[in-house]
Amino acid sequence: MAETRYYLAIDIGASSGRHVLGHVEDGKIILEEMHRFDNIQQRRRGHDCWDIDMLWKNVLAGIENCRAAGKVPTSLGIDTWGVDFVLLDGEGRRIGDAVAYRDTRTQAVAGAVDERIGLSQLYAKTGIQRQEFNTIYQFAALAQEHPEELAQAKRFLMIPEYLNYLLTGKAVNEYTNATTTGMLNARTLEWDADVLEAVGAPTKIFGPVSMPGSSLGGFTDAVKQLVGFDCEVVLPATHDTGSAFLAVPAQDDQAAYLSSGTWSLLGVENEEPITTEDSRLQNFTNEGGYQRRYRYLKNIMGLWMIQSIRRELNGVDYVEGKGAGRERAERTIGFGELADLAREEERATGGAPAPRVNVNDDRFLAPESMIEEIKQACRETGQAVPESTGAVMRCVYESLTSSYAEAIAELSKLTGKTYTSLNVVGGGCQDAYLNELTARACGIPVFAGPIEGTSLGNLMVQMIQGGEFTDLQDARSAIRASFDVKTYQPA
């Protein structure tokens, strides 16, 4: 009997991280969670920052858990959110802080960057939608606040690339995450010199991009001593949405995809980017995908609003220093209970229309109180103000699902295709009420699952590289055979 080959997906999102071990058994993919941890931002030098040292400790802890369980992985891959980065000096040491995309530092410089390069020109070059937290604006903010850090910099690495560097000693930029910067040319797949110049980013610190499936080799000697074994490090789609889209078990090209997590990413896979002015004005983006594909999608706020409400009700501060002094709730409110409250509110009102807010408004990125921000947005638009928790939650659910319906209509217009189903992967696919409302709002069936979409997509690249599957179609067939997918009809 052949020895079982294990593969490890290290999937780190904006709220939490997990290590998921996978192997293939009788043609089916078997998953096992080896480690889970919270990812909480910290306030440093006046900015909201990622605790990179904590992330690194947890990366190692999860790897060590595999060894302790006697399931040493053949390879591992790391994916995280996009946009954010670190800089290294000539000796490979980190310079400054890893400022988080939700920080407000870009607000003062974004307009000047737009005037300097022109939004239409920037979109035509990169195909990436304008969001004030994009890396391009972060560079402009850094150049203004800490020019000395840019002067010291010898290498630019995004968050998963930096963790790979700590594991292997190799500083490598990866395609899918590089596209989220707004600085990579969508057609040449090279860092765009005009864009870099516009924000004062030195070209010397950016390396050539490598594709998912590339091998970085094994651990450094120091890491081998720490964890007790060696392991090949493979690049998955290091942007978590790129990995999540891989795991969608769609069977035809009339299916739209929704990666439902802290962010909702709704779109399709294309072989070429769409960088027209109409596409820019509709806020669609062309992010990199596996096999040099383009994930043509719209970024929607997603479960962040629900996560923030839950934290607030449970007395958990989002960032150190915000809401200080608030006492923790006597009992913990779960996501399921919040969904139930929204459903009960719908029943109590006889299905009467709920107030809605623009979930993509920047005001919801990091408010002091998400609940009060939602209420204030309703006041400003002359709508009934949701007073109870159930009413607030229903407002969020209805707002989210109406934005999904609008995005699918826009997608159809821009691509010239009709979409007959929506495939939902990620943590949000567990929310039955959200899925029901989505099917109702979009008027098409919703197929929900698998839950661990991002980890699965990460593993699929490793397993294809390791010879477990012949190609992406083969791997997606295994997903359909391995995991339960629930159907929600629009009726």
Side-chain angles (χ1 to χ4, degrees), residues 139-199:
F139 255 93
L142 182 62
Q144 178 174 290
E145 185 178 11
H146 290 294
E148 75 284 357
E149 293 184 5
L150 278 180
Q152 295 176 53
K154 299 298 181 183
R155 201 69 172 83
F156 161 89
L157 293 175
M158 305 190 78
I159 301 301
E161 298 165 354
Y162 179 61
L163 296 173
N164 284 334
Y165 170 72
L166 295 178
L167 284 173
T168 68
K170 295 180 180 177
V172 176
N173 296 123
E174 185 271 334
Y175 167 60
T176 65
N177 225 316
T179 62
T180 72
T181 63
M183 300 190 293
L184 194 78
N185 190 289
R187 288 180 168 80
T188 66
L189 306 191
E190 295 178 349
W191 302 102
D192 193 283
D194 293 337
V195 175
L196 297 182
E197 182 180 357
V199 293

Side-chain angles (χ1 to χ4, degrees), residues 66-94:
C66 295
R67 177 186 55 78
K71 299 177 180 179
V72 173
T74 298
S75 70
L76 68 78
I78 301 176
D79 67 77
T80 77
W81 67 98
V83 176
D84 294 335
F85 64 93
V86 300
L87 299 175
L88 305 183
D89 65 16
E91 297 183 9
R93 296 174 300 197
R94 196 169 73 238

Side-chain angles (χ1 to χ4, degrees), residues 472-486:
L472 182 56
Q473 183 178 355
D474 187 25
R476 280 179 168 162
S477 295
I479 286 179
R480 285 194 292 271
S482 305
F483 301 98
D484 180 39
V485 176
K486 295 182 179 179

Side-chain angles (χ1 to χ4, degrees), residues 15-65:
S15 301
S16 64
R18 64 203 58 79
H19 290 55
V20 178
L21 202 64
H23 70 277
V24 179
E25 190 174 305
D26 297 327
K28 293 185 178 182
I29 302 172
I30 311 298
L31 302 181
E32 181 180 1
E33 185 176 292
M34 306 304 294
H35 185 55
R36 181 176 286 265
F37 55 95
D38 290 331
N39 185 11
I40 300 174
Q41 296 169 29
Q42 296 185 338
R43 197 76 178 165
R44 295 177 179 172
R45 295 197 298 175
H47 295 295
D48 297 336
C49 302
W50 301 109
D51 188 346
I52 296 294
D53 294 331
M54 178 276 295
L55 293 181
W56 172 234
K57 288 177 182 177
N58 277 285
V59 165
L60 291 175
I63 294 172
E64 290 170 342
N65 286 352

